[in-house]
PDB file of all heavy atoms in Angstrom:
ATOM      1  N   ALA T   1       0.840  -1.204   0.000  1.00  0.00           N
ATOM      2  CA  ALA T   1       0.000   0.000   0.000  1.00  0.00           C
ATOM      3  C   ALA T   1       0.875   1.253   0.000  1.00  0.00           C
ATOM      4  O   ALA T   1       0.626   2.198  -0.768  1.00  0.00           O
ATOM      5  CB  ALA T   1      -0.937  -0.003   1.206  1.00  0.00           C
ATOM      6  N   TYR T   2       1.901   1.269   0.845  1.00  0.00           N
ATOM      7  CA  TYR T   2       2.802   2.420   0.900  1.00  0.00           C
ATOM      8  C   TYR T   2       3.449   2.661  -0.467  1.00  0.00           C
ATOM      9  O   TYR T   2       3.466   3.791  -0.973  1.00  0.00           O
ATOM     10  CB  TYR T   2       3.877   2.200   1.968  1.00  0.00           C
ATOM     11  CG  TYR T   2       4.909   3.292   2.003  1.00  0.00           C
ATOM     12  CD1 TYR T   2       4.673   4.478   2.691  1.00  0.00           C
ATOM     13  CD2 TYR T   2       6.113   3.156   1.318  1.00  0.00           C
ATOM     14  CE1 TYR T   2       5.611   5.498   2.696  1.00  0.00           C
ATOM     15  CE2 TYR T   2       7.053   4.170   1.324  1.00  0.00           C
ATOM     16  CZ  TYR T   2       6.801   5.333   2.012  1.00  0.00           C
ATOM     17  OH  TYR T   2       7.737   6.345   2.008  1.00  0.00           O
ATOM     18  N   CYS T   3       3.971   1.607  -1.074  1.00  0.00           N
ATOM     19  CA  CYS T   3       4.657   1.741  -2.365  1.00  0.00           C
ATOM     20  C   CYS T   3       3.687   2.139  -3.477  1.00  0.00           C
ATOM     21  O   CYS T   3       4.055   2.888  -4.388  1.00  0.00           O
ATOM     22  CB  CYS T   3       5.383   0.447  -2.715  1.00  0.00           C
ATOM     23  SG  CYS T   3       6.791   0.099  -1.635  1.00  0.00           S
ATOM     24  N   THR T   4       2.448   1.665  -3.404  1.00  0.00           N
ATOM     25  CA  THR T   4       1.436   2.039  -4.388  1.00  0.00           C
ATOM     26  C   THR T   4       1.119   3.522  -4.288  1.00  0.00           C
ATOM     27  O   THR T   4       1.046   4.229  -5.298  1.00  0.00           O
ATOM     28  CB  THR T   4       0.161   1.203  -4.185  1.00  0.00           C
ATOM     29  OG1 THR T   4       0.491  -0.183  -4.346  1.00  0.00           O
ATOM     30  CG2 THR T   4      -0.925   1.589  -5.182  1.00  0.00           C
ATOM     31  N   TRP T   5       0.954   4.011  -3.055  1.00  0.00           N
ATOM     32  CA  TRP T   5       0.688   5.432  -2.870  1.00  0.00           C
ATOM     33  C   TRP T   5       1.898   6.273  -3.248  1.00  0.00           C
ATOM     34  O   TRP T   5       1.753   7.398  -3.724  1.00  0.00           O
ATOM     35  CB  TRP T   5       0.216   5.728  -1.448  1.00  0.00           C
ATOM     36  CG  TRP T   5      -1.221   5.357  -1.283  1.00  0.00           C
ATOM     37  CD1 TRP T   5      -1.739   4.308  -0.586  1.00  0.00           C
ATOM     38  CD2 TRP T   5      -2.340   6.026  -1.875  1.00  0.00           C
ATOM     39  NE1 TRP T   5      -3.095   4.279  -0.700  1.00  0.00           N
ATOM     40  CE2 TRP T   5      -3.497   5.327  -1.489  1.00  0.00           C
ATOM     41  CE3 TRP T   5      -2.482   7.147  -2.686  1.00  0.00           C
ATOM     42  CZ2 TRP T   5      -4.782   5.718  -1.885  1.00  0.00           C
ATOM     43  CZ3 TRP T   5      -3.756   7.535  -3.088  1.00  0.00           C
ATOM     44  CH2 TRP T   5      -4.873   6.826  -2.687  1.00  0.00           C
ATOM     45  N   TRP T   6       3.097   5.726  -3.037  1.00  0.00           N
ATOM     46  CA  TRP T   6       4.288   6.464  -3.470  1.00  0.00           C
ATOM     47  C   TRP T   6       4.257   6.633  -4.986  1.00  0.00           C
ATOM     48  O   TRP T   6       4.558   7.709  -5.512  1.00  0.00           O
ATOM     49  CB  TRP T   6       5.586   5.759  -3.058  1.00  0.00           C
ATOM     50  CG  TRP T   6       6.743   6.374  -3.767  1.00  0.00           C
ATOM     51  CD1 TRP T   6       7.434   5.862  -4.817  1.00  0.00           C
ATOM     52  CD2 TRP T   6       7.292   7.674  -3.539  1.00  0.00           C
ATOM     53  NE1 TRP T   6       8.389   6.758  -5.249  1.00  0.00           N
ATOM     54  CE2 TRP T   6       8.314   7.881  -4.478  1.00  0.00           C
ATOM     55  CE3 TRP T   6       7.009   8.684  -2.631  1.00  0.00           C
ATOM     56  CZ2 TRP T   6       9.062   9.053  -4.525  1.00  0.00           C
ATOM     57  CZ3 TRP T   6       7.754   9.857  -2.684  1.00  0.00           C
ATOM     58  CH2 TRP T   6       8.771  10.023  -3.627  1.00  0.00           C
ATOM     59  N   ALA T   7       3.881   5.590  -5.708  1.00  0.00           N
ATOM     60  CA  ALA T   7       3.818   5.667  -7.172  1.00  0.00           C
ATOM     61  C   ALA T   7       2.780   6.701  -7.610  1.00  0.00           C
ATOM     62  O   ALA T   7       3.013   7.471  -8.556  1.00  0.00           O
ATOM     63  CB  ALA T   7       3.496   4.305  -7.763  1.00  0.00           C
ATOM     64  N   ALA T   8       1.634   6.751  -6.927  1.00  0.00           N
ATOM     65  CA  ALA T   8       0.600   7.740  -7.253  1.00  0.00           C
ATOM     66  C   ALA T   8       1.113   9.153  -6.983  1.00  0.00           C
ATOM     67  O   ALA T   8       0.905  10.077  -7.799  1.00  0.00           O
ATOM     68  CB  ALA T   8      -0.665   7.465  -6.446  1.00  0.00           C
ATOM     69  N   PHE T   9       1.785   9.338  -5.856  1.00  0.00           N
ATOM     70  CA  PHE T   9       2.363  10.632  -5.506  1.00  0.00           C
ATOM     71  C   PHE T   9       3.384  11.054  -6.562  1.00  0.00           C
ATOM     72  O   PHE T   9       3.389  12.193  -7.031  1.00  0.00           O
ATOM     73  CB  PHE T   9       3.026  10.544  -4.129  1.00  0.00           C
ATOM     74  CG  PHE T   9       3.708  11.807  -3.692  1.00  0.00           C
ATOM     75  CD1 PHE T   9       2.995  12.808  -3.039  1.00  0.00           C
ATOM     76  CD2 PHE T   9       5.065  11.992  -3.916  1.00  0.00           C
ATOM     77  CE1 PHE T   9       3.627  13.976  -2.633  1.00  0.00           C
ATOM     78  CE2 PHE T   9       5.695  13.149  -3.522  1.00  0.00           C
ATOM     79  CZ  PHE T   9       4.974  14.143  -2.875  1.00  0.00           C
ATOM     80  N   ASP T  10       4.240  10.119  -6.955  1.00  0.00           N
ATOM     81  CA  ASP T  10       5.294  10.414  -7.922  1.00  0.00           C
ATOM     82  C   ASP T  10       4.707  10.771  -9.287  1.00  0.00           C
ATOM     83  O   ASP T  10       5.191  11.702  -9.938  1.00  0.00           O
ATOM     84  CB  ASP T  10       6.243   9.215  -8.037  1.00  0.00           C
ATOM     85  CG  ASP T  10       7.451   9.525  -8.885  1.00  0.00           C
ATOM     86  OD1 ASP T  10       8.177  10.495  -8.560  1.00  0.00           O
ATOM     87  OD2 ASP T  10       7.662   8.814  -9.890  1.00  0.00           O
ATOM     88  N   ALA T  11       3.658  10.066  -9.709  1.00  0.00           N
ATOM     89  CA  ALA T  11       3.017  10.367 -10.997  1.00  0.00           C
ATOM     90  C   ALA T  11       2.410  11.776 -10.970  1.00  0.00           C
ATOM     91  O   ALA T  11       2.560  12.545 -11.934  1.00  0.00           O
ATOM     92  CB  ALA T  11       1.946   9.331 -11.320  1.00  0.00           C
ATOM     93  N   ALA T  12       1.738  12.120  -9.871  1.00  0.00           N
ATOM     94  CA  ALA T  12       1.154  13.458  -9.749  1.00  0.00           C
ATOM     95  C   ALA T  12       2.247  14.515  -9.710  1.00  0.00           C
ATOM     96  O   ALA T  12       2.133  15.568 -10.355  1.00  0.00           O
ATOM     97  CB  ALA T  12       0.282  13.525  -8.498  1.00  0.00           C
ATOM     98  N   ARG T  13       3.312  14.238  -8.976  1.00  0.00           N
ATOM     99  CA  ARG T  13       4.436  15.180  -8.881  1.00  0.00           C
ATOM    100  C   ARG T  13       5.039  15.445 -10.257  1.00  0.00           C
ATOM    101  O   ARG T  13       5.313  16.587 -10.633  1.00  0.00           O
ATOM    102  CB  ARG T  13       5.498  14.636  -7.937  1.00  0.00           C
ATOM    103  CG  ARG T  13       6.709  15.541  -7.760  1.00  0.00           C
ATOM    104  CD  ARG T  13       7.847  14.818  -7.063  1.00  0.00           C
ATOM    105  NE  ARG T  13       8.311  13.655  -7.791  1.00  0.00           N
ATOM    106  CZ  ARG T  13       9.140  13.705  -8.852  1.00  0.00           C
ATOM    107  NH1 ARG T  13       9.569  14.865  -9.313  1.00  0.00           N
ATOM    108  NH2 ARG T  13       9.534  12.601  -9.448  1.00  0.00           N
ATOM    109  N   ARG T  14       5.207  14.385 -11.025  1.00  0.00           N
ATOM    110  CA  ARG T  14       5.786  14.531 -12.374  1.00  0.00           C
ATOM    111  C   ARG T  14       4.875  15.350 -13.281  1.00  0.00           C
ATOM    112  O   ARG T  14       5.341  16.177 -14.060  1.00  0.00           O
ATOM    113  CB  ARG T  14       6.046  13.164 -12.991  1.00  0.00           C
ATOM    114  CG  ARG T  14       7.208  12.424 -12.372  1.00  0.00           C
ATOM    115  CD  ARG T  14       7.297  11.006 -12.958  1.00  0.00           C
ATOM    116  NE  ARG T  14       8.253  10.209 -12.268  1.00  0.00           N
ATOM    117  CZ  ARG T  14       9.500  10.017 -12.682  1.00  0.00           C
ATOM    118  NH1 ARG T  14       9.915  10.572 -13.791  1.00  0.00           N
ATOM    119  NH2 ARG T  14      10.308   9.259 -11.981  1.00  0.00           N
ATOM    120  N   ASP T  15       3.565  15.101 -13.174  1.00  0.00           N
ATOM    121  CA  ASP T  15       2.621  15.843 -14.008  1.00  0.00           C
ATOM    122  C   ASP T  15       2.644  17.329 -13.658  1.00  0.00           C
ATOM    123  O   ASP T  15       2.633  18.179 -14.549  1.00  0.00           O
ATOM    124  CB  ASP T  15       1.205  15.280 -13.854  1.00  0.00           C
ATOM    125  CG  ASP T  15       0.230  15.997 -14.756  1.00  0.00           C
ATOM    126  OD1 ASP T  15       0.425  15.971 -15.994  1.00  0.00           O
ATOM    127  OD2 ASP T  15      -0.726  16.599 -14.234  1.00  0.00           O
ATOM    128  N   ILE T  16       2.686  17.650 -12.377  1.00  0.00           N
ATOM    129  CA  ILE T  16       2.733  19.058 -11.960  1.00  0.00           C
ATOM    130  C   ILE T  16       4.035  19.699 -12.428  1.00  0.00           C
ATOM    131  O   ILE T  16       4.044  20.845 -12.879  1.00  0.00           O
ATOM    132  CB  ILE T  16       2.560  19.184 -10.438  1.00  0.00           C
ATOM    133  CG1 ILE T  16       1.153  18.731 -10.040  1.00  0.00           C
ATOM    134  CG2 ILE T  16       2.823  20.607  -9.971  1.00  0.00           C
ATOM    135  CD1 ILE T  16       0.965  18.517  -8.552  1.00  0.00           C
ATOM    136  N   ALA T  17       5.129  18.958 -12.344  1.00  0.00           N
ATOM    137  CA  ALA T  17       6.413  19.493 -12.809  1.00  0.00           C
ATOM    138  C   ALA T  17       6.380  19.742 -14.317  1.00  0.00           C
ATOM    139  O   ALA T  17       6.953  20.732 -14.806  1.00  0.00           O
ATOM    140  CB  ALA T  17       7.540  18.524 -12.459  1.00  0.00           C
ATOM    141  N   GLU T  18       5.693  18.883 -15.056  1.00  0.00           N
ATOM    142  CA  GLU T  18       5.643  19.005 -16.516  1.00  0.00           C
ATOM    143  C   GLU T  18       4.652  20.081 -16.970  1.00  0.00           C
ATOM    144  O   GLU T  18       4.970  20.928 -17.796  1.00  0.00           O
ATOM    145  CB  GLU T  18       5.253  17.659 -17.124  1.00  0.00           C
ATOM    146  CG  GLU T  18       5.199  17.663 -18.640  1.00  0.00           C
ATOM    147  CD  GLU T  18       4.765  16.327 -19.190  1.00  0.00           C
ATOM    148  OE1 GLU T  18       5.252  15.284 -18.681  1.00  0.00           O
ATOM    149  OE2 GLU T  18       3.948  16.318 -20.122  1.00  0.00           O
ATOM    150  N   ARG T  19       3.430  20.048 -16.423  1.00  0.00           N
ATOM    151  CA  ARG T  19       2.375  20.939 -16.909  1.00  0.00           C
ATOM    152  C   ARG T  19       2.136  22.147 -16.020  1.00  0.00           C
ATOM    153  O   ARG T  19       1.469  23.087 -16.427  1.00  0.00           O
ATOM    154  CB  ARG T  19       1.064  20.170 -17.069  1.00  0.00           C
ATOM    155  CG  ARG T  19       1.154  19.060 -18.098  1.00  0.00           C
ATOM    156  CD  ARG T  19      -0.172  18.456 -18.467  1.00  0.00           C
ATOM    157  NE  ARG T  19      -0.996  18.074 -17.337  1.00  0.00           N
ATOM    158  CZ  ARG T  19      -2.323  18.035 -17.366  1.00  0.00           C
ATOM    159  NH1 ARG T  19      -2.974  18.371 -18.449  1.00  0.00           N
ATOM    160  NH2 ARG T  19      -3.014  17.657 -16.308  1.00  0.00           N
ATOM    161  N   GLY T  20       2.617  22.113 -14.771  1.00  0.00           N
ATOM    162  CA  GLY T  20       2.416  23.224 -13.861  1.00  0.00           C
ATOM    163  C   GLY T  20       1.171  23.044 -13.010  1.00  0.00           C
ATOM    164  O   GLY T  20       0.374  22.135 -13.234  1.00  0.00           O
ATOM    165  N   PRO T  21       0.982  23.934 -12.027  1.00  0.00           N
ATOM    166  CA  PRO T  21      -0.169  23.813 -11.128  1.00  0.00           C
ATOM    167  C   PRO T  21      -1.492  24.245 -11.766  1.00  0.00           C
ATOM    168  O   PRO T  21      -2.561  23.912 -11.274  1.00  0.00           O
ATOM    169  CB  PRO T  21       0.194  24.712  -9.950  1.00  0.00           C
ATOM    170  CG  PRO T  21       1.150  25.700 -10.517  1.00  0.00           C
ATOM    171  CD  PRO T  21       1.891  24.995 -11.618  1.00  0.00           C
ATOM    172  N   LEU T  22      -1.423  24.986 -12.864  1.00  0.00           N
ATOM    173  CA  LEU T  22      -2.622  25.401 -13.593  1.00  0.00           C
ATOM    174  C   LEU T  22      -2.559  24.832 -15.009  1.00  0.00           C
ATOM    175  O   LEU T  22      -1.498  24.865 -15.656  1.00  0.00           O
ATOM    176  CB  LEU T  22      -2.732  26.921 -13.648  1.00  0.00           C
ATOM    177  CG  LEU T  22      -2.873  27.634 -12.302  1.00  0.00           C
ATOM    178  CD1 LEU T  22      -2.840  29.143 -12.499  1.00  0.00           C
ATOM    179  CD2 LEU T  22      -4.151  27.208 -11.600  1.00  0.00           C
ATOM    180  N   VAL T  23      -3.708  24.337 -15.482  1.00  0.00           N
ATOM    181  CA  VAL T  23      -3.778  23.747 -16.824  1.00  0.00           C
ATOM    182  C   VAL T  23      -5.003  24.309 -17.540  1.00  0.00           C
ATOM    183  O   VAL T  23      -5.941  24.795 -16.902  1.00  0.00           O
ATOM    184  CB  VAL T  23      -3.866  22.197 -16.755  1.00  0.00           C
ATOM    185  CG1 VAL T  23      -2.602  21.606 -16.142  1.00  0.00           C
ATOM    186  CG2 VAL T  23      -5.094  21.748 -15.980  1.00  0.00           C
ATOM    187  N   PRO T  24      -5.019  24.242 -18.865  1.00  0.00           N
ATOM    188  CA  PRO T  24      -6.202  24.728 -19.594  1.00  0.00           C
ATOM    189  C   PRO T  24      -7.428  23.889 -19.232  1.00  0.00           C
ATOM    190  O   PRO T  24      -7.366  22.658 -19.185  1.00  0.00           O
ATOM    191  CB  PRO T  24      -5.831  24.533 -21.068  1.00  0.00           C
ATOM    192  CG  PRO T  24      -4.346  24.392 -21.088  1.00  0.00           C
ATOM    193  CD  PRO T  24      -3.948  23.831 -19.764  1.00  0.00           C
ATOM    194  N   GLY T  25      -8.546  24.578 -18.966  1.00  0.00           N
ATOM    195  CA  GLY T  25      -9.794  23.882 -18.678  1.00  0.00           C
ATOM    196  C   GLY T  25     -10.355  23.252 -19.936  1.00  0.00           C
ATOM    197  O   GLY T  25      -9.982  23.615 -21.057  1.00  0.00           O
ATOM    198  N   ARG T  26     -11.285  22.314 -19.747  1.00  0.00           N
ATOM    199  CA  ARG T  26     -11.828  21.613 -20.905  1.00  0.00           C
ATOM    200  C   ARG T  26     -13.258  22.027 -21.234  1.00  0.00           C
ATOM    201  O   ARG T  26     -13.770  21.690 -22.283  1.00  0.00           O
ATOM    202  CB  ARG T  26     -11.784  20.104 -20.664  1.00  0.00           C
ATOM    203  CG  ARG T  26     -10.362  19.589 -20.480  1.00  0.00           C
ATOM    204  CD  ARG T  26     -10.292  18.116 -20.387  1.00  0.00           C
ATOM    205  NE  ARG T  26     -11.183  17.596 -19.351  1.00  0.00           N
ATOM    206  CZ  ARG T  26     -11.180  16.361 -18.901  1.00  0.00           C
ATOM    207  NH1 ARG T  26     -10.331  15.509 -19.407  1.00  0.00           N
ATOM    208  NH2 ARG T  26     -12.020  15.979 -17.982  1.00  0.00           N
ATOM    209  N   SER T  27     -13.900  22.762 -20.358  1.00  0.00           N
ATOM    210  CA  SER T  27     -15.302  23.101 -20.608  1.00  0.00           C
ATOM    211  C   SER T  27     -15.434  24.550 -21.069  1.00  0.00           C
ATOM    212  O   SER T  27     -14.529  25.372 -20.915  1.00  0.00           O
ATOM    213  CB  SER T  27     -16.129  22.887 -19.341  1.00  0.00           C
ATOM    214  OG  SER T  27     -15.809  23.869 -18.381  1.00  0.00           O
ATOM    215  N   SER T  28     -16.617  24.868 -21.625  1.00  0.00           N
ATOM    216  CA  SER T  28     -16.874  26.243 -22.053  1.00  0.00           C
ATOM    217  C   SER T  28     -16.953  27.167 -20.838  1.00  0.00           C
ATOM    218  O   SER T  28     -16.596  28.345 -20.920  1.00  0.00           O
ATOM    219  CB  SER T  28     -18.167  26.309 -22.869  1.00  0.00           C
ATOM    220  OG  SER T  28     -19.249  25.807 -22.107  1.00  0.00           O
ATOM    221  N   ALA T  29     -17.386  26.629 -19.696  1.00  0.00           N
ATOM    222  CA  ALA T  29     -17.432  27.446 -18.472  1.00  0.00           C
ATOM    223  C   ALA T  29     -16.025  27.846 -18.048  1.00  0.00           C
ATOM    224  O   ALA T  29     -15.813  28.968 -17.584  1.00  0.00           O
ATOM    225  CB  ALA T  29     -18.123  26.673 -17.356  1.00  0.00           C
TER     226      ALA T  29
END
C-alpha cells in the first residue's frame, strides 16, 4: 500500500512538474 501510494504521488508530482499547477480547462465554463 505504501509503495502504491508512493507511485501515485510520484506520478502526480511529475505531471505538476511538466504541466504546472494550472492547466487549460476543458469546458466552455
Side-chain angles (χ1 to χ4, degrees):
Y2 175 83
C3 292
T4 300
W5 282 108
W6 168 255
F9 177 86
D10 187 57
R13 180 192 60 79
R14 288 174 188 263
D15 183 60
I16 294 167
E18 181 182 317
R19 297 191 311 152
L22 298 175
V23 296
R26 298 186 306 191
S27 71
S28 57

